[in-house]
Amino acid sequence: METDMRGLNWATLGTGVIANQLEQALESRGRKLYAVANRTHDKAVAFAERYGIGKVYDDLNDVFDDSQVDVIYISTPHNTHIGFLRKALAAGKHVLCEKSITLNSDELDEAIALAEANHVVLAEAMTLYHMPIYKKLDELIGSGALGELKLLQVNFGSYKEYDMANRFFNRNLAGGAMLDIGVYALSFVRWFMSSKPDQILSQVKYAPTGVDEQSGILLTNPDGQMATVTLSLHAKQPKRGLAVFDKAYVQVTDYPRGERATITWVDDGRTETIEAGSTTDALAYEVADMETAIAGDPSVMHLDYTRDVMSMMTEIRRGQWNMTYPEEER
C-alpha cells in the first residue's frame, strides 16, 4: 500500500540537539513534528513552544499508545534505547533511532525481530549512509574508475573534559568512545568494504571509570580489504576517512556528515574535488530516506550495515576488551 509521505506524523522521544535538528529538517520539507515526548515534562513543553508543536505528552509512554503517531525518532541516551524500542515496535510504530541503536548485537537482533513481527521499519540514524556524497562515490566505485579497494584509514577524536560524571565517561550512561564515535568510523568502513570484516585486532586505553577512552582497531574482511581505526574521547583528531584504491585514494573530511571528497590519482598525482549535498541538510536526507523506506523500500536505510557494525562493536568491546555495561550484567 502506498503511503502519503506528507501525511506521516513524526514524534520525537527526546528534546536534545538532534531533536532540534529533526524539527528543522522537517520544516525544510514544509512539515512539523506532530508530538513531543520527554522524560522531563518541562523540557518537552519548552521544546513544543519553541517550534509551535501542538502535542506534548504528560507521560512519555503515551507516545506509544497514540494512534496518530506513525514514526518515532528516539534520541535518548543509548542505554535506554532497547526499552523504548520494545514499546515502540510492539505498538506498530516505525522507528528511527539515534546511534548507537542498541548496546549490543543481542539487543539489536531482538529489536529487528520485533520490527519484522509488527511489519514496521526500524533504522539507525546514521547520517553517513544518507549523505549524497557517498552515493556519488558509490557510483564512481561501481564504474571501476578507482580500481579495487585496498585500505581504509579512519580517525575520530574528541577532546572531552575529564569529568567522569558526564555521559561520555559514565559507565551507567553507556559511556566510552566506541558507542559514541566509533560507530561512525566503523560505519564508514562498512560502507566501502565489499563484505563485513571477519578478522579484528584491537588495543584499548580505559578511562578511570572503566569505559574505553582511546583505542586502535585493525580489520580485514574475506576479500583482503583492510582498515585501521583510531578513536579517542580525550585527544582531538580530524574526522578524516581515507579510502585507498588501485588507481586513486579518496579522502573525506568531517565524514559523518561529509559533503565533499578529494580524489588523488596515482598515475599523475592530480587531485580533483567532488561535491554533493550539504552538511546542514544531513537530517533532511535521513528523514527523506526513512519515508522512502516506509513507502516500501527499506534497503535505503542500510539496516544490514547497522547490524554488521553492531556485530563488530560487540565483538571488540565484549569479546576482546571484556568491557560491559550494567545492563549487560543483570
Side-chain angles (χ1 to χ4, degrees):
M1 184 176 71
E2 211 167 285
T3 306
D4 176 9
M5 290 299 104
R6 295 193 65 80
L8 281 178
N9 284 334
W10 284 73
T12 178
L13 178 48
T15 57
V17 172
I18 295 295
N20 283 269
Q21 292 179 3
L22 173 65
E23 169 61 21
Q24 291 155 15
L26 284 168
E27 288 181 2
S28 75
R29 294 164 62 80
R31 313 265 294 285
K32 293 192 75 62
L33 278 163
Y34 165 77
V36 185
N38 196 64
R39 186 180 60 181
T40 307
H41 186 254
D42 289 349
K43 288 184 178 179
V45 170
F47 184 94
E49 288 177 349
R50 184 182 312 134
Y51 294 108
I53 298 164
K55 189 154 193 174
V56 180
Y57 301 100
D58 292 331
D59 181 331
L60 70 78
N61 288 292
D62 291 343
V63 68
F64 307 118
D65 300 323
D66 188 343
S67 62
Q68 296 302 304
V69 171
D70 300 304
V71 195
I72 299 175
Y73 192 115
I74 298 173
S75 60
T76 55
H78 36 240
N79 61 326
T80 66
H81 288 176
I82 188 61
F84 293 137
L85 285 169
R86 287 174 181 137
K87 293 175 182 178
L89 297 168
K93 308 302 183 188
H94 304 289
V95 179
L96 184 57
C97 186
E98 189 53 30
K99 56 81 199 167
S100 292
I101 189 169
T102 55
L103 292 185
N104 55 54
S105 289
D106 297 333
E107 289 183 355
L108 180 55
D109 288 346
E110 178 189 346
I112 290 172
L114 261 176
E116 290 174 349
N118 289 281
H119 309 291
V120 290
V121 175
L122 168 66
E124 182 177 56
M126 175 49 63
T127 49
L128 190 154
Y129 296 152
H130 310 287
M131 299 304 295
I133 191 66
Y134 292 103
K135 297 172 185 181
K136 196 166 184 177
L137 285 172
D138 227 24
E139 292 171 6
L140 191 60
I141 293 164
S143 74
L146 300 176
E148 293 184 6
L149 178 69
K150 299 297 182 181
L151 295 166
L152 295 156
Q153 297 177 343
V154 197
N155 298 344
F156 199 137
S158 300
Y159 185 85
K160 305 299 182 186
E161 293 296 335
Y162 244 16
D163 175 2
M164 292 301 137
N166 72 20
R167 74 174 183 86
F168 299 108
F169 297 107
N170 190 333
R171 188 169 168 270
N172 293 320
L173 294 176
M178 178 62 77
L179 292 189
D180 191 62
I181 58 178
V183 63
Y184 285 119
L186 290 172
S187 294
F188 183 93
V189 168
R190 187 62 193 90
W191 178 269
F192 285 98
M193 277 193 170
S194 56
S195 59
K196 173 187 163 187
D198 61 345
Q199 298 178 58
I200 304 175
L201 297 171
S202 64
Q203 291 187 324
V204 62
K205 174 187 177 184
Y206 297 105
T209 51
V211 302
D212 58 311
E213 174 189 316
Q214 185 169 293
S215 62
I217 303 162
L218 299 173
L219 309 108
T220 305
N221 71 2
D223 301 307
Q225 298 163 347
M226 303 177 74
T228 64
V229 174
T230 309
L231 307 173
S232 179
L233 282 180
H234 199 57
K236 182 69 176 173
Q237 299 180 73
K239 292 189 270 292
R240 182 181 61 212
L242 187 69
V244 182
F245 297 83
D246 277 330
K247 301 175 183 177
Y249 57 87
V250 180
Q251 182 169 290
V252 185
T253 53
D254 295 322
Y255 61 83
R257 298 186 177 191
E259 60 185 15
R260 67 177 57 85
T262 302
I263 302 172
T264 302
W265 298 94
V266 173
D267 57 355
D268 57 8
R270 66 190 165 88
T271 63
E272 67 175 287
T273 300
I274 60 172
E275 298 185 5
S278 169
T279 296
T280 56
D281 291 332
L283 269 288
Y285 302 132
E286 215 165 55
V287 166
D289 278 351
M290 183 65 177
E291 296 193 336
T292 296
I294 292 168
D297 183 12
S299 68
V300 298
M301 297 310 292
H302 300 287
L303 186 60
D304 52 342
Y305 287 179
T306 295
R307 199 173 204 164
D308 286 351
V309 169
M310 184 57 66
S311 172
M312 288 186 269
M313 294 196 298
T314 303
E315 160 60 20
I316 294 164
R317 183 178 59 81
R318 295 202 314 197
Q320 299 191 11
W321 300 346
N322 196 29
M323 181 189 134
T324 55
Y325 294 112
E327 293 85 355
E328 297 172 312
E329 297 160 7
R330 292 170 186 161

